[in-house]
Amino acid sequence: MTAIGAFKNTGKESLRDVLTRLDKEGAALGHFNVADQTLLRAVVAAGAETELPVIVGASEGEREFFGARQLAALVKSERQESDVPIFLNADHTHSLAKAIEAAKAGFDSVVIDFSALPFEQNVACTKEAVQAIKAINPAILAEGEIGNIGTGSEIHETAQGDPKTLTTPEEARQFVEATGIDILAPAVGNMHGMLQSMVQGKAKKHLDIERIAQIKQAAGVFLTLHGGSGTDDEHFRKAIAAGINIIHINTELRVAWRQSLAESLARDPNEVVPYKILQPVVDAVKQVVSSRLRLFHGEPAGAGAVGSVA
Ligand code: G3H
Ligand code: ZN
């Protein structure tokens, strides 16, 4: 268990440093996607509230909306004023050009996602992107992905992904060796997005814990769990103990964002001041992020998680 308050931002610790430390301590770094400044403020505020480091993430679509360089500048500025380390990840990057753009913009890591391609092509494209971003910034961390866990941090009608494509330890070993990635994102029963039953707290995602432990042993690199929204708390704890180092949460934030925005707008139809409408949204999303951060660091999660009340 990590001691709250033990993470001080000196401006010098790298993402690798923090991951190495957490790996030893049996905790995971929370990764939260942002599409606008309301979400960014919520993630940063949750890091400050819990005194725990965070990764701010943005997919290609989120970067397109926010502006990759603009987001990088804001996160850099937030980090300068933060007591805890804040990192920035280019999430689900499907082209060499977008990976290079993120590396040049100053992102700390890139998720190179060619997982929709056959294994050999995934290896070739991932390897090319790893070499390209490390040529720009040797300290950048490259994440690669194998298996099918579906796409879209949205509310889905049916389960995403393909249980037949769960990652095997041997595939993981080969993929890491052939590509030179620092972080692997396996398919271990996780899926992107939530079912309506998960939003209502009536169903939870379950993970193949044994497989995570075997993959960790075979791959020998940091592991990321994508599709974290709606996962059973106990499975999160076991997955971290089995070797998961980073956990991605997006849909839970989006659900909190939308619900709190609707409530805030409905509260006073004559309110037109953006910061008065949006502050409750920041607070609602912050509660979700803080709750997940505490859980990932072995603290009682507390209130706030989406679907925590059935
Ligand atoms: O990369 C982002 C995530 O994997 C988020 O998945 O929307 O199911 O939390 P989620
Ligand atoms: Zn993901």
Side-chain angles (χ1 to χ4, degrees):
M1 182 162 135
T2 303
I4 289 267
F7 280 95
K8 283 292 160 217
N9 175 29
T10 64
K12 290 196 182 102
E13 54 287 289
S14 67
L15 179 54
R16 186 185 291 280
D17 293 338
V18 173
L19 284 170
T20 303
R21 178 176 157 185
L22 290 178
D23 192 50
K24 287 193 193 112
E25 294 178 356
L29 197 44
H31 171 291
F32 305 95
N33 290 70
V34 304
D36 70 1
Q37 219 180 337
T38 306
L39 288 153
L40 176 61
R41 287 180 74 88
V43 175
V44 170
E49 179 177 80
T50 58
E51 298 183 44
L52 291 167
V54 290
I55 306 178
V56 171
S59 64
E60 284 188 357
E62 288 160 338
R63 266 134 65 199
E64 190 69 35
F65 186 73
F66 211 134
R69 288 176 57 231
Q70 289 71 17
L71 174 59
L74 274 175
V75 170
K76 188 177 172 194
S77 161
E78 292 285 3
R79 184 168 178 169
Q80 281 163 356
E81 291 183 0
S82 170
D83 288 335
V84 291
I86 302 172
F87 300 104
L88 180 59
N89 173 53
D91 206 9
H92 295 293
T93 303
H94 303 289
S95 72
L96 181 62
K98 290 286 174 192
I100 289 172
E101 178 187 78
K104 285 186 174 164
F107 283 60
D108 297 289
S109 56
V110 179
V111 175
I112 301 158
D113 183 1
F114 292 106
S115 59
L117 297 176
F119 188 80
E120 290 308 326
Q121 285 177 48
N122 185 4
V123 166
C125 292
T126 302
K127 185 177 176 184
E128 185 184 21
V130 170
Q131 289 172 350
I133 61 173
K134 284 187 183 280
I136 295 163
N137 172 12
I140 201 167
L141 296 191
E143 178 173 322
E145 196 165 330
I146 38 178
N148 176 5
I149 59 164
T151 55
S153 288
E154 297 167 45
I155 298 169
H156 302 294
E157 295 279 319
T158 53
Q160 298 287 289
D162 180 357
K164 290 194 294 297
T165 65
L166 291 190
T167 306
T168 66
E170 181 50 24
E171 254 175 359
R173 190 192 61 74
Q174 280 178 25
F175 191 72
V176 169
E177 217 172 84
T179 57
I181 52 170
D182 308 287
I183 309 169
L184 175 69
V188 288
N190 45 335
M191 73 164 214
H192 280 122
M194 295 173 90
L195 302 176
Q196 190 56 251
S197 55
M198 292 171 180
V199 176
Q200 293 161 355
K202 292 177 184 158
K204 298 282 180 194
K205 294 178 193 171
H206 292 147
L207 306 167
D208 187 336
I209 305 297
E210 186 54 35
R211 188 180 292 266
I212 294 171
Q214 289 167 355
I215 290 171
K216 180 74 169 196
Q217 171 118 45
V221 292
F222 299 121
L223 295 185
T224 294
L225 180 74
H226 281 258
S229 292
T231 301
D232 182 74
D233 284 4
E234 200 44 36
H235 277 240
F236 269 140
R237 289 190 194 98
K238 287 181 178 164
I240 295 166
I244 289 291
N245 302 101
I246 301 171
I247 300 177
H248 283 221
I249 304 277
N250 192 357
T251 313
E252 289 184 4
L253 275 61
R254 290 177 169 185
V255 169
W257 172 86
R258 185 185 165 114
Q259 287 177 350
S260 57
L261 182 58
E263 281 163 21
S264 190
L265 289 169
R267 211 166 288 133
D268 179 1
N270 291 321
E271 183 58 81
V272 292
V273 181
Y275 55 79
K276 291 186 181 171
I277 293 170
L278 293 172
Q279 187 57 50
V281 182
V282 172
D283 295 341
V285 176
K286 182 184 82 168
Q287 227 192 335
V288 175
V289 176
S290 290
S291 159
R292 285 320 198 185
L293 279 173
R294 290 192 179 102
L295 180 71
F296 300 160
H297 288 262
E299 304 285 324
V306 170
S308 61
V309 180

